[in-house]
Amino acid sequence: MPKTIALLTGGGDCPGLNAVIRAATRRSLDRGHRVVGVLQGWRGLVEGRYTPLEMGSISGLLPRGGTILRTSRTNPFKQEGGVDAVRRNLEQFDALIAIGGEDTLGVANRLHAEFGAPIVGVPKTIDNDLSGTDATFGFDTAVQIGTDAIDRLHTTAESHNRVMVVEVMGRHAGWIAMHSGLAGGADVILIPEFPLTVERTAQLVQRRHGRGKDFSIVVVSEGWPLTHEEGASRDLTTQTAELDAFGHVRLGGIGQQLADHLERITGFETRVTTLGHVQRGGTPTAYDRVLATRYGLLAADLVDGGQHGTMAALRGTEVVPVPLAEGVRELKTVPREFYALAEAFFG
Ligand code: F6P
């Protein structure tokens, strides 16, 4: 029986979204199903905005960054009449593939659990902080961009005898800082899970310089709380006080604050680079293209088999279905043992 399958991408964009759209569409069309793209995440389902997805629409998508379906941070549960509109609009589809992170999949899980909505999830986020899967696509690309930046900053830091602070994304979890910092040979890595103090960071930089090095690289996650020895402040550094529809503040700016403290304490000239959205833009790495393709194919299979309320996940080397609820159960944070590996190279 041919089905009508809808696809949406929600939350922050991420390299590999188009590769998922391509794979899920291709497989579904090959089975004789009709595929419809929902525009701008949950907003498109509230407002009823769609575009047909055909063979021609998915041509050239594999290496393309961003999402041809566009995205938004709309939360139907926070809008007057939002959930009713989504449920009404969903009736015209046999199933929905929702591609997103904790927020988008959180909505998908609630719609499935509370109303039996026929939804299959695909885990996406450069932050890699979703439970239930060993990896999200987009993370590898973000790490590669961070590593390339750290490599480049090394040569200019060395030429000028400077400390370079590199601020990377990572709202609740320090995965990007850890992987790009380890791969790039950072001298200190600061993450939300194990917040070293400013003073300890300065000591580590001073120790390194005492051992004959004239420059240092400090990588900091945007979600690292500025932490002092005396415990005066453990606040997140934000760009505005406003919260989005999922209750998140807009982070950013911790790199500059840290650099100011480090320069004051150590006396070493310090500069800041904030990678920001560069980490989310552009073409996905080969790893992310393959992972996204595998997720897209499995999502299409799950929808075809009527296995709603599931999510495609990576377990070891296998891509398998897991309950959607498991994917959004908790955030996956950096474990102590992994941080200890990085500490071996601090200072
Ligand atoms: O969740 C992914 C992420 O890239 C976070 O690391 C970051 O805090 C946030 O999105 C930025 O979101 P926005 O695109 O709204 O600035």
Side-chain angles (χ1 to χ4, degrees):
M1 247 310 253
K3 298 183 186 211
T4 301
I5 297 164
L7 271 168
L8 69 76
T9 54
D13 75 335
C14 173
L17 284 168
N18 284 327
V20 179
I21 295 169
R22 168 183 176 264
T25 302
R26 171 80 192 248
R27 179 151 281 179
S28 302
L29 290 176
D30 280 351
R31 290 199 171 115
H33 301 316
R34 192 168 77 92
V35 187
V36 174
V38 176
L39 297 172
Q40 288 190 280
W42 294 115
R43 182 168 167 193
L45 262 189
V46 173
E47 297 174 3
R49 299 179 57 218
Y50 319 110
T51 185
L53 288 174
E54 284 144 8
M55 273 314 218
S57 6
I58 57 171
S59 162
L61 279 195
L62 189 55
R64 191 161 146 194
T67 163
I68 57 161
L69 297 180
R70 309 292 187 258
T71 186
S72 71
R73 293 197 186 274
T74 296
N75 182 353
F77 284 94
K78 287 284 158 65
Q79 276 187 11
E80 183 78 35
V83 173
D84 290 341
V86 166
R87 290 182 63 197
R88 216 173 27 251
N89 284 325
L90 267 179
E91 279 169 15
Q92 63 198 294
F93 305 118
D94 294 294
L96 168 72
I97 297 176
I99 312 163
E102 50 161 334
D103 300 328
T104 304
L105 295 184
V107 170
N109 184 45
R110 274 189 74 179
L111 288 169
H112 175 74
E114 295 177 23
F115 308 107
I119 305 181
V120 164
V122 174
K124 153 271 37 163
T125 164
I126 63 163
D127 290 359
N128 198 37
D129 57 1
L130 275 184
S131 61
T133 182
D134 291 350
T136 50
F137 67 87
F139 172 62
D140 186 68
T141 307
V143 167
Q144 192 56 54
I145 293 167
T147 305
D148 290 345
I150 295 169
D151 285 350
R152 287 178 184 280
L153 289 169
H154 260 98
T155 60
T156 172
E158 185 174 25
S159 305
H160 288 266
N161 292 353
R162 282 175 175 157
V163 175
M164 288 288 182
V165 172
V166 190
E167 179 182 320
V168 297
M169 280 190 172
R171 191 188 280 277
H172 311 288
W175 291 108
I176 297 177
M178 284 297 293
H179 280 255
S180 56
L182 270 168
D187 304 301
V188 186
I189 301 173
L190 300 171
I191 62 174
E193 293 90 332
F194 306 105
L196 288 189
T197 62
V198 169
E199 291 76 13
R200 178 71 188 136
T201 307
Q203 273 171 16
L204 289 167
V205 168
Q206 279 164 328
R207 183 172 84 178
R208 176 175 151 85
H209 288 227
R211 288 167 160 177
K213 296 286 188 186
D214 295 320
F215 71 96
S216 291
I217 306 282
V218 178
V219 177
V220 60
S221 294
E222 61 178 354
W224 175 72
L226 187 72
T227 308
H228 285 285
E229 219 98 280
E230 73 275 17
S233 160
R234 288 180 67 93
D235 294 336
L236 292 177
T237 306
T238 60
Q239 292 187 34
T240 70
E242 270 172 47
L243 300 181
D244 70 15
F246 291 92
H248 303 305
V249 286
R250 197 187 316 155
L251 296 174
I254 187 58
Q256 187 61 58
Q257 292 211 41
L258 175 65
D260 293 346
H261 284 293
L262 288 180
E263 190 167 87
R264 180 180 48 77
I265 299 171
T266 65
F268 301 136
E269 198 182 1
T270 305
R271 293 285 191 273
V272 188
T273 298
T274 302
L275 294 184
H277 294 81
V278 168
Q279 293 157 103
R280 282 199 343 221
T283 190
T285 57
Y287 178 88
D288 277 337
R289 294 181 201 188
V290 173
L291 184 61
T293 297
R294 295 175 77 194
Y295 281 162
L297 291 177
L298 179 62
D301 291 347
L302 293 171
V303 154
D304 189 54
Q307 288 177 261
H308 307 139
T310 55
M311 176 186 98
L314 184 71
R315 291 286 170 86
T317 56
E318 299 299 309
V319 169
V320 295
V322 299
L324 198 41
E326 207 175 305
V328 294
R329 186 173 28 90
E330 59 181 6
L331 283 175
K332 184 177 69 189
T333 52
V334 172
R336 188 79 195 82
E337 322 79 76
F338 190 43
Y339 193 60
L341 291 186
E343 281 177 320
F345 301 95
F346 286 4

XYZ file of all heavy atoms in Angstrom, residues 160-247:
676
model
N 53.694 34.741 17.774
C 53.544 35.951 18.602
C 53.729 35.691 20.096
O 53.508 36.594 20.893
C 52.139 36.539 18.397
C 51.950 37.192 17.072
N 52.140 38.539 16.860
C 51.597 36.682 15.866
C 51.891 38.835 15.593
N 51.565 37.714 14.963
N 54.094 34.474 20.475
C 54.179 34.130 21.911
C 52.876 34.477 22.640
O 52.874 35.175 23.657
C 55.332 34.873 22.598
C 56.677 34.405 22.109
O 56.762 33.432 21.354
N 57.727 35.082 22.523
N 51.758 33.999 22.092
C 50.468 34.372 22.682
C 49.728 33.162 23.252
O 49.976 32.028 22.850
C 49.568 34.984 21.615
C 49.898 36.415 21.295
C 49.041 36.904 20.138
N 49.284 38.319 19.911
C 49.056 38.941 18.759
N 48.561 38.258 17.727
N 49.292 40.222 18.633
N 48.793 33.477 24.131
C 47.799 32.477 24.544
C 46.589 32.683 23.632
O 46.142 33.808 23.435
C 47.375 32.672 26.023
C 46.261 31.696 26.398
C 48.580 32.499 26.950
N 46.093 31.591 23.044
C 44.911 31.663 22.185
C 43.769 30.931 22.877
O 43.902 29.736 23.185
C 45.167 30.959 20.849
C 46.091 31.711 19.947
S 45.238 33.164 19.287
C 46.531 33.787 18.232
N 42.679 31.627 23.113
C 41.478 30.987 23.651
C 40.555 30.702 22.468
O 40.292 31.599 21.661
C 40.775 31.903 24.678
C 39.422 31.314 25.086
C 41.650 32.111 25.903
N 40.107 29.460 22.340
C 39.209 29.084 21.242
C 37.867 28.679 21.845
O 37.793 27.701 22.600
C 39.764 27.883 20.439
C 38.942 27.668 19.178
C 41.233 28.072 20.109
N 36.832 29.443 21.550
C 35.487 29.114 22.061
C 34.747 28.274 21.028
O 34.590 28.690 19.878
C 34.710 30.402 22.354
C 33.302 30.132 22.873
C 32.522 31.418 23.124
O 33.093 32.402 23.625
O 31.310 31.415 22.785
N 34.307 27.104 21.444
C 33.570 26.215 20.540
C 32.146 26.022 21.064
O 31.857 26.337 22.210
C 34.274 24.826 20.390
C 35.644 24.983 19.776
C 34.330 24.079 21.716
N 31.263 25.463 20.228
C 29.887 25.218 20.666
C 29.836 24.019 21.612
O 30.796 23.251 21.731
C 28.966 25.026 19.473
C 28.563 26.346 18.842
S 27.253 26.132 17.625
C 26.851 27.849 17.273
N 28.694 23.850 22.238
C 28.536 22.790 23.240
C 27.784 23.402 24.401
O 28.370 23.995 25.298
N 26.468 23.290 24.315
C 25.610 23.978 25.282
C 25.651 23.314 26.656
O 25.946 23.965 27.662
C 24.181 23.953 24.749
C 23.215 24.803 25.450
C 21.831 24.508 24.934
N 21.529 25.149 23.666
C 21.105 26.410 23.556
N 20.968 27.146 24.630
N 20.814 26.922 22.383
N 25.382 22.004 26.680
C 25.348 21.290 27.960
C 26.514 20.321 28.099
O 26.772 19.809 29.184
C 24.075 20.447 28.091
C 22.826 21.185 27.777
N 22.310 22.145 28.608
C 21.988 21.105 26.714
C 21.197 22.622 28.061
N 20.992 22.010 26.923
N 27.138 19.981 26.980
C 28.157 18.920 27.000
C 29.394 19.367 26.223
O 29.286 20.104 25.241
C 27.580 17.648 26.369
N 30.538 18.898 26.684
C 31.804 19.368 26.114
C 32.395 18.475 25.045
O 33.612 18.475 24.840
N 31.542 17.736 24.317
C 32.078 16.777 23.331
C 32.910 17.448 22.242
O 33.972 16.961 21.856
C 30.931 15.979 22.682
C 30.262 15.028 23.621
C 29.020 15.154 24.166
C 30.793 13.809 24.144
N 28.748 14.092 24.994
C 29.825 13.251 24.991
C 32.016 13.140 23.979
C 30.019 12.055 25.674
C 32.212 11.945 24.663
C 31.220 11.420 25.489
N 32.431 18.578 21.715
C 33.170 19.235 20.619
C 34.516 19.739 21.143
O 35.556 19.554 20.510
C 32.360 20.406 20.014
C 31.067 19.890 19.394
C 33.192 21.148 18.975
C 30.159 20.983 18.838
N 34.503 20.348 22.327
C 35.760 20.852 22.916
C 36.732 19.701 23.159
O 37.928 19.810 22.868
C 35.462 21.582 24.221
N 36.219 18.595 23.677
C 37.077 17.446 23.982
C 37.722 16.876 22.722
O 38.929 16.658 22.668
C 36.257 16.340 24.658
C 35.936 16.602 26.103
S 37.417 16.692 27.109
C 37.993 15.013 27.020
N 36.905 16.611 21.720
C 37.445 15.955 20.516
C 38.337 16.901 19.706
O 39.415 16.501 19.274
C 36.313 15.390 19.650
C 35.806 14.076 20.172
N 36.111 12.871 19.582
C 35.052 13.778 21.239
C 35.549 11.889 20.272
N 34.878 12.417 21.279
N 37.898 18.143 19.523
C 38.747 19.043 18.728
C 39.981 19.423 19.546
O 41.078 19.557 18.987
C 37.973 20.278 18.260
O 37.413 20.949 19.346
N 39.822 19.536 20.871
C 40.974 19.862 21.724
C 42.000 18.740 21.759
O 43.213 18.976 21.662
N 41.530 17.512 21.872
C 42.464 16.369 21.863
C 43.147 16.238 20.505
O 44.354 16.047 20.414
C 41.708 15.070 22.170
C 41.596 14.673 23.643
C 40.590 13.538 23.804
C 42.947 14.262 24.221
N 42.342 16.357 19.448
C 42.902 16.196 18.093
C 43.854 17.338 17.748
O 44.827 17.134 17.014
C 41.765 16.137 17.067
N 43.572 18.528 18.279
C 44.398 19.691 17.952
C 45.539 19.923 18.933
O 46.335 20.833 18.757
N 45.602 19.117 19.997
C 46.697 19.274 20.964
C 46.529 20.496 21.857
O 47.495 21.232 22.112
N 45.310 20.731 22.358
C 45.073 21.884 23.234
C 45.821 21.702 24.560
O 46.015 20.579 25.027
C 43.581 22.025 23.495
N 46.202 22.823 25.174
C 46.955 22.760 26.427
C 46.053 22.785 27.649
O 46.472 22.386 28.741
C 47.962 23.917 26.458
C 48.851 23.857 25.229
O 49.526 22.829 25.049
O 48.817 24.804 24.414
N 44.847 23.274 27.494
C 43.801 23.156 28.521
C 42.461 23.075 27.780
O 42.275 23.752 26.765
C 43.743 24.368 29.491
C 42.731 24.102 30.616
C 45.098 24.705 30.092
N 41.545 22.213 28.279
C 40.194 22.126 27.703
C 39.195 22.360 28.840
O 39.268 21.673 29.875
C 39.949 20.741 27.055
C 40.984 20.474 25.944
C 38.526 20.657 26.503
C 40.921 19.071 25.355
N 38.301 23.307 28.644
C 37.328 23.654 29.690
C 35.929 23.276 29.225
O 35.471 23.757 28.175
C 37.398 25.152 29.982
C 38.774 25.637 30.464
C 38.820 27.156 30.511
C 39.114 25.051 31.819
N 35.242 22.424 29.974
C 33.920 21.942 29.548
C 32.919 22.063 30.708
O 33.322 22.151 31.875
C 33.998 20.474 29.046
C 34.462 19.511 30.140
C 34.908 20.378 27.830
C 34.407 18.047 29.731
N 31.627 22.058 30.391
C 30.629 22.242 31.452
C 30.653 21.141 32.507
O 30.358 21.399 33.687
C 29.284 22.199 30.706
C 29.587 22.403 29.270
C 31.001 21.970 29.048
N 30.997 19.922 32.108
C 30.909 18.781 33.030
C 31.906 18.855 34.183
O 31.605 18.455 35.301
C 31.130 17.458 32.279
C 30.032 17.108 31.288
C 30.294 17.663 29.896
O 30.978 18.705 29.782
O 29.805 17.068 28.929
N 33.132 19.325 33.912
C 34.173 19.349 34.955
C 34.836 20.718 34.943
O 35.960 20.864 34.462
C 35.221 18.248 34.696
C 34.595 16.901 34.543
C 34.484 16.316 33.294
C 34.070 16.232 35.635
C 33.867 15.087 33.133
C 33.445 15.005 35.490
C 33.340 14.425 34.229
N 34.143 21.738 35.448
C 34.654 23.098 35.285
C 35.896 23.407 36.130
O 35.805 23.656 37.333
C 33.468 23.975 35.678
C 32.517 23.110 36.402
C 32.843 21.692 36.126
N 37.060 23.385 35.481
C 38.286 23.853 36.133
C 38.092 25.340 36.405
O 37.397 26.022 35.667
C 39.477 23.722 35.192
C 40.028 22.348 34.866
C 41.344 22.509 34.098
C 40.269 21.556 36.130
N 38.759 25.862 37.422
C 38.608 27.294 37.699
C 39.512 28.119 36.779
O 40.456 27.596 36.181
C 38.996 27.607 39.157
O 40.380 27.271 39.328
C 38.139 26.831 40.141
N 39.214 29.402 36.722
C 40.047 30.347 35.972
C 41.477 30.301 36.520
O 42.451 30.272 35.761
C 39.470 31.782 36.146
C 40.434 32.827 35.618
C 38.116 31.901 35.491
N 41.585 30.289 37.851
C 42.907 30.323 38.494
C 43.715 29.069 38.150
O 44.908 29.136 37.887
C 42.765 30.467 40.027
C 42.231 31.814 40.490
C 40.737 31.997 40.278
O 40.031 30.990 39.999
O 40.259 33.154 40.367
N 43.062 27.917 38.169
C 43.744 26.657 37.830
C 44.185 26.680 36.353
O 45.284 26.238 36.019
C 42.781 25.482 38.085
C 43.333 24.131 37.729
C 44.425 23.692 38.699
N 45.076 22.476 38.240
C 46.388 22.269 38.242
N 47.224 23.192 38.693
N 46.871 21.135 37.819
N 43.336 27.238 35.506
C 43.678 27.337 34.084
C 44.923 28.211 33.918
O 45.859 27.855 33.185
C 42.493 27.944 33.293
O 41.321 27.181 33.589
C 42.741 27.915 31.796
N 44.957 29.337 34.633
C 46.117 30.244 34.556
C 47.381 29.521 35.051
O 48.447 29.639 34.441
C 45.850 31.491 35.390
N 47.234 28.756 36.127
C 48.396 28.000 36.653
C 48.936 27.024 35.613
O 50.138 26.863 35.450
C 47.970 27.154 37.856
C 48.030 27.852 39.185
C 47.363 26.963 40.256
O 47.149 25.766 40.047
N 47.020 27.574 41.371
N 48.011 26.349 34.921
C 48.432 25.358 33.914
C 49.168 26.044 32.762
O 50.185 25.546 32.269
C 47.217 24.585 33.384
C 46.610 23.601 34.383
C 45.238 23.116 33.919
C 47.546 22.402 34.590
N 48.663 27.196 32.358
C 49.323 27.949 31.285
C 50.717 28.390 31.767
O 51.714 28.267 31.055
C 48.446 29.159 30.870
C 49.215 30.116 29.977
C 47.180 28.670 30.166
N 50.777 28.870 33.023
C 52.069 29.315 33.564
C 53.049 28.148 33.666
O 54.240 28.282 33.386
C 51.873 29.967 34.942
C 51.421 31.420 34.804
C 50.840 31.997 36.087
O 50.235 31.277 36.888
N 50.986 33.298 36.262
N 52.535 26.980 34.067
C 53.417 25.804 34.176
C 54.015 25.458 32.812
O 55.197 25.173 32.690
C 52.629 24.603 34.711
C 53.525 23.384 34.918
C 52.811 22.285 35.619
N 52.036 21.464 34.690
C 51.345 20.401 35.051
N 51.280 20.044 36.323
N 50.667 19.706 34.164
N 53.163 25.511 31.792
C 53.628 25.196 30.436
C 54.711 26.184 29.998
O 55.740 25.809 29.463
C 52.423 25.240 29.481
C 52.764 25.027 28.050
C 51.508 24.956 27.216
N 51.751 25.410 25.870
C 52.229 24.644 24.890
N 52.481 23.376 25.114
N 52.445 25.145 23.699
N 54.475 27.464 30.281
C 55.453 28.476 29.873
C 56.730 28.316 30.692
O 57.832 28.546 30.187
C 54.859 29.879 30.003
C 53.814 30.159 28.943
N 53.769 31.301 28.203
C 52.778 29.379 28.494
C 52.741 31.252 27.346
N 52.125 30.090 27.521
N 56.585 27.848 31.941
C 57.765 27.588 32.783
C 58.598 26.429 32.247
O 59.783 26.297 32.560
N 57.964 25.583 31.440
C 58.681 24.447 30.847
C 59.267 24.799 29.480
O 59.612 23.911 28.702
C 57.727 23.269 30.670
C 57.340 22.598 31.969
C 56.166 21.695 31.686
N 56.004 20.681 32.710
C 55.012 19.810 32.720
N 54.135 19.792 31.756
N 54.915 18.927 33.685
N 59.292 26.072 29.161
C 59.985 26.508 27.947
C 59.097 26.759 26.749
O 59.591 27.043 25.662
N 57.770 26.652 26.919
C 56.873 26.957 25.788
C 56.441 28.417 25.885
O 56.142 28.904 26.976
C 55.622 26.063 25.845
C 55.936 24.598 25.682
C 56.271 24.275 24.251
C 56.388 22.765 24.067
N 56.838 22.387 22.740
N 56.371 29.079 24.765
C 56.033 30.507 24.792
C 54.609 30.786 24.337
O 54.222 31.940 24.199
C 56.999 31.280 23.884
C 58.419 31.209 24.413
O 58.586 31.299 25.645
O 59.342 31.029 23.599
N 53.854 29.734 24.031
C 52.467 29.965 23.609
C 51.594 28.826 24.142
O 52.109 27.760 24.490
C 52.368 30.016 22.072
C 52.570 28.663 21.434
C 51.480 27.866 21.088
C 53.845 28.167 21.221
C 51.658 26.613 20.527
C 54.039 26.906 20.655
C 52.945 26.125 20.311
N 50.295 29.076 24.210
C 49.350 28.040 24.676
C 48.029 28.155 23.939
O 47.649 29.252 23.501
C 49.072 28.187 26.177
O 50.216 27.850 26.915
N 47.348 27.021 23.841
C 45.999 26.993 23.253
C 45.025 26.500 24.333
O 45.219 25.414 24.892
C 45.921 26.011 22.062
C 46.985 26.304 21.000
C 44.510 25.997 21.480
C 46.709 27.451 20.071
N 44.016 27.303 24.627
C 42.982 26.919 25.603
C 41.658 26.804 24.848
O 41.214 27.767 24.221
C 42.854 27.980 26.722
C 41.744 27.590 27.700
C 44.180 28.152 27.457
N 41.033 25.622 24.895
C 39.733 25.428 24.232
C 38.641 25.473 25.297
O 38.761 24.805 26.338
C 39.690 24.074 23.485
C 38.316 23.837 22.867
C 40.755 24.043 22.387
N 37.607 26.247 25.048
C 36.517 26.362 26.035
C 35.162 26.149 25.349
O 34.900 26.700 24.281
C 36.580 27.736 26.773
C 36.462 28.919 25.826
C 35.523 27.817 27.866
N 34.322 25.335 25.967
C 32.935 25.157 25.486
C 32.133 26.395 25.841
O 32.281 26.931 26.945
C 32.237 24.008 26.217
O 32.796 22.795 25.949
N 31.220 26.763 24.958
C 30.377 27.941 25.239
C 29.578 27.770 26.540
O 29.221 28.741 27.185
C 29.413 28.180 24.076
C 28.479 26.999 23.855
C 27.465 27.176 22.750
O 27.377 28.267 22.175
O 26.748 26.201 22.471
N 29.328 26.513 26.942
C 28.534 26.256 28.150
C 29.380 26.069 29.404
O 28.860 25.613 30.431
N 30.679 26.408 29.328
C 31.524 26.329 30.541
C 31.140 27.480 31.472
O 31.133 28.642 31.058
C 33.009 26.452 30.153
C 33.962 26.505 31.306
C 34.304 25.482 32.140
C 34.723 27.647 31.746
N 35.229 25.915 33.063
C 35.497 27.236 32.841
C 34.829 28.973 31.313
C 36.361 28.092 33.528
C 35.677 29.843 31.985
C 36.432 29.402 33.076
N 30.773 27.192 32.720
C 30.414 28.276 33.626
C 31.687 28.945 34.151
O 32.580 28.255 34.639
C 29.663 27.558 34.755
C 30.156 26.154 34.718
C 30.686 25.866 33.336
N 31.774 30.240 34.008
C 32.950 30.966 34.488
C 33.117 30.668 35.976
O 32.260 31.014 36.788
C 32.765 32.468 34.263
C 33.991 33.303 34.580
C 35.071 33.097 33.537
C 33.622 34.770 34.664
N 34.190 30.006 36.311
C 34.332 29.471 37.663
C 35.591 30.015 38.326
O 36.674 29.943 37.743
C 34.419 27.926 37.578
O 33.321 27.454 36.804
C 34.369 27.281 38.945
N 35.417 30.564 39.521
C 36.567 31.087 40.266
C 36.835 30.231 41.493
O 35.934 29.591 42.031
C 36.303 32.529 40.707
C 36.421 33.509 39.590
N 37.625 33.896 39.081
C 35.476 34.167 38.867
C 37.434 34.758 38.091
N 36.127 34.925 37.938
N 38.087 30.278 41.945
C 38.505 29.508 43.120
C 37.629 29.827 44.328
O 37.176 28.952 45.037
C 39.966 29.817 43.446
C 40.728 28.582 43.889
C 41.516 27.985 42.736
O 40.941 27.276 41.893
O 42.717 28.234 42.709
N 37.369 31.126 44.507
C 36.599 31.512 45.695
C 35.103 31.261 45.498
O 34.302 31.549 46.381
C 36.871 32.983 46.062
C 36.242 34.019 45.144
C 37.105 34.329 43.918
O 38.028 33.532 43.595
O 36.848 35.353 43.274
N 34.752 30.725 44.330
C 33.356 30.360 44.098
C 32.449 31.532 43.846
O 31.236 31.407 43.976
N 33.024 32.701 43.501
C 32.203 33.905 43.347
C 31.168 33.765 42.239
O 30.037 34.165 42.406
C 33.095 35.106 43.060
N 31.563 33.174 41.130
C 30.629 33.144 40.005
C 30.702 31.802 39.296
O 31.774 31.286 39.018
C 30.997 34.280 39.039
O 30.465 34.017 37.777
N 29.558 31.237 39.025
C 29.505 30.024 38.208
C 28.417 30.215 37.156
O 27.675 29.305 36.848
C 29.200 28.800 39.081
C 30.357 28.390 39.968
C 29.970 27.188 40.794
N 29.780 26.007 39.965
C 30.729 25.125 39.705
N 31.929 25.284 40.182
N 30.486 24.073 38.954
N 28.345 31.439 36.652
C 27.259 31.758 35.714
C 27.638 31.407 34.286
O 28.802 31.478 33.905
C 26.948 33.259 35.760
C 26.375 33.650 37.096
O 25.807 32.759 37.762
O 26.511 34.822 37.481
N 26.619 31.095 33.487
C 26.831 30.912 32.056
C 26.961 32.291 31.420
O 26.345 33.254 31.879
C 25.648 30.174 31.434
C 25.494 28.722 31.857
C 24.242 28.117 31.231
C 26.723 27.913 31.462
N 27.753 32.375 30.357
C 27.895 33.649 29.660
C 26.941 33.642 28.475
O 27.019 32.776 27.601
C 29.346 33.833 29.188
O 30.179 33.676 30.330
C 29.558 35.206 28.589
N 26.017 34.599 28.474
C 24.952 34.591 27.474
C 24.975 35.875 26.646
O 25.529 36.881 27.076
C 23.568 34.487 28.142
O 23.410 35.620 28.998
C 23.452 33.228 28.975
N 24.337 35.803 25.472
C 24.286 36.984 24.609
C 23.045 37.822 24.867
O 23.047 39.018 24.651
C 24.328 36.549 23.150
C 25.680 35.948 22.801
C 25.790 35.681 21.313
O 25.255 36.407 20.506
N 26.496 34.636 20.961
N 21.963 37.153 25.277
C 20.748 37.901 25.646
C 20.124 37.171 26.830
O 20.445 36.019 27.091
C 19.676 37.887 24.523
O 19.142 36.561 24.440
C 20.207 38.304 23.182
N 19.205 37.835 27.502
C 18.545 37.210 28.648
C 17.321 36.410 28.186
O 16.730 35.653 28.954
C 18.121 38.277 29.640
N 16.939 36.608 26.907
C 15.723 35.956 26.389
C 15.878 34.444 26.280
O 16.958 33.949 25.961
C 15.440 36.461 24.978
C 14.574 37.674 24.938
C 14.497 38.216 23.527
O 14.271 37.424 22.599
O 14.695 39.428 23.380
N 14.775 33.739 26.512
C 14.778 32.286 26.346
C 14.060 31.935 25.045
O 13.109 32.612 24.656
C 14.027 31.621 27.504
C 14.566 31.873 28.919
C 13.719 31.108 29.939
C 16.023 31.446 29.035
N 14.501 30.848 24.378
C 13.757 30.414 23.201
C 12.571 29.551 23.638
O 12.333 29.372 24.839
C 14.678 29.703 22.179
C 15.155 28.335 22.653
O 14.583 27.780 23.618
O 16.094 27.802 22.046
N 11.817 28.997 22.650
C 10.580 28.267 22.966
C 10.849 26.988 23.761
O 9.920 26.364 24.275
C 9.838 27.941 21.681
N 12.107 26.584 23.843
C 12.441 25.383 24.614
C 13.151 25.740 25.915
O 13.709 24.879 26.600
C 13.299 24.435 23.763
C 12.518 23.819 22.635
C 12.477 24.414 21.389
C 11.780 22.664 22.856
C 11.724 23.866 20.360
C 11.021 22.101 21.835
C 10.990 22.704 20.582
N 13.167 27.043 26.224
C 13.732 27.483 27.502
C 15.242 27.635 27.503
O 15.861 27.700 28.559
